[in-house]
Amino acid sequence: MTRRAFFRAAGAATLVGTAVSLGAAAEAAKTGPRAGYFPNVALRTHDDKTVRFYDDLIAGKFVVINFMYTGCGDICPGMTANLVEVQRLLGARVGRDIFMYSITLQPELDTPEILKGYAETFGVQPGWAFLTGEAVDIETLRRKLGFVDPDPLIDGDIEQHIGIVKFGIETFDRWAGAPALAAPSQIVRSILGLEGPKSGVALGRKNSDS
């Protein structure tokens, strides 16, 4: 990912710390489950388990989502390492009431086994799943989750979609995002900002639960 492209992505994430509504999802909620907006495609975790995106991963949950691929030699390693620190700062909440998901942009190469090795290399802890699936389903998710550039030439380059991390509380239809290479404490504040002032994670020092 070029420096220019990264800062373009960062600029697109000026909604950091601000809850925004997915209008289509809110409309679907009037008549039934929000699966009407979010694709319920089948994915495979890095532990080689089959899951459904909506039913198993985001329905009724507080989630943190990014796209990556293991063959990325530029921004992905730094982004993953940064999110490992985010996971540490969130402590025991990850896997309990906050769930982290990284979706590969190269599903034809990133098998569950490869993703598992990648997660282990970075010391990823429970509560954070790396996901692969059919290429057409990954592309559907990318577009529905808003990792899209209006320029088709830029949008066709997978490196342009990995500089942002998005987070949301599906139950309340609250969604926001941040540059994936922002300071981990800033990302955590933005994540927890979606649920208001009740969060008590102490930033800047090691969490005793991590």
Side-chain angles (χ1 to χ4, degrees):
M1 189 181 205
T2 64
R3 181 182 297 270
R4 180 180 177 183
F6 172 73
F7 283 106
R8 183 190 301 113
T14 54
L15 69 164
V16 171
T18 303
V20 297
S21 174
L22 292 178
E27 187 66 26
K30 296 177 182 178
T31 56
R34 297 180 192 184
Y37 180 85
F38 293 105
N40 201 30
V41 297
L43 301 172
R44 300 289 287 179
T45 73
H46 67 277
D47 288 323
D48 203 22
K49 296 179 180 178
T50 298
V51 292
R52 289 281 176 178
F53 181 74
Y54 182 79
D55 288 347
D56 300 321
L57 300 184
I58 70 167
K61 293 180 179 178
F62 193 166
V63 300
V64 178
I65 302 172
N66 73 289
F67 282 83
M68 47 68 68
Y69 59 105
T70 63
C72 170
D74 187 6
I75 192 174
C76 288
M79 177 183 65
T80 301
N82 209 45
L83 293 178
V84 165
E85 180 63 9
V86 168
Q87 182 182 37
R88 187 189 69 79
L89 288 172
L90 289 171
R93 293 198 62 178
V94 179
R96 184 183 69 200
D97 57 5
I98 297 177
F99 300 87
M100 299 177 67
Y101 305 123
S102 291
I103 305 170
T104 179
L105 288 167
Q106 287 191 329
E108 69 278 9
L109 299 177
D110 286 337
T111 63
E113 182 180 12
I114 289 176
L115 290 175
K116 185 176 181 64
Y118 186 84
E120 290 175 347
T121 295
F122 283 91
V124 168
Q125 299 300 306
W128 180 355
F130 285 73
L131 301 156
T132 189
E134 296 295 327
V136 65
D137 293 333
I138 297 294
E139 179 64 6
T140 297
L141 286 176
R142 180 178 74 83
R143 292 186 174 278
K144 280 292 188 178
L145 291 169
F147 289 80
V148 180
D149 194 288
D151 185 327
L153 291 178
I154 295 175
D155 196 59
D157 181 357
I158 64 173
E159 292 190 1
Q160 307 304 319
H161 313 300
I162 56 180
I164 299 297
V165 57
K166 295 192 174 184
F167 30 90
I169 305 175
E170 190 273 341
T171 306
F172 304 122
D173 194 24
R174 295 175 184 169
W175 300 89
L181 290 178
S185 60
Q186 177 185 345
I187 295 175
V188 169
R189 288 189 183 97
S190 297
I191 291 170
L192 299 182
L194 288 183
E195 62 180 359
K198 73 174 186 176
S199 300
V201 174
L203 303 179
R205 68 174 187 267
K206 186 172 182 180
N207 191 299
S208 61
D209 290 325
S210 61

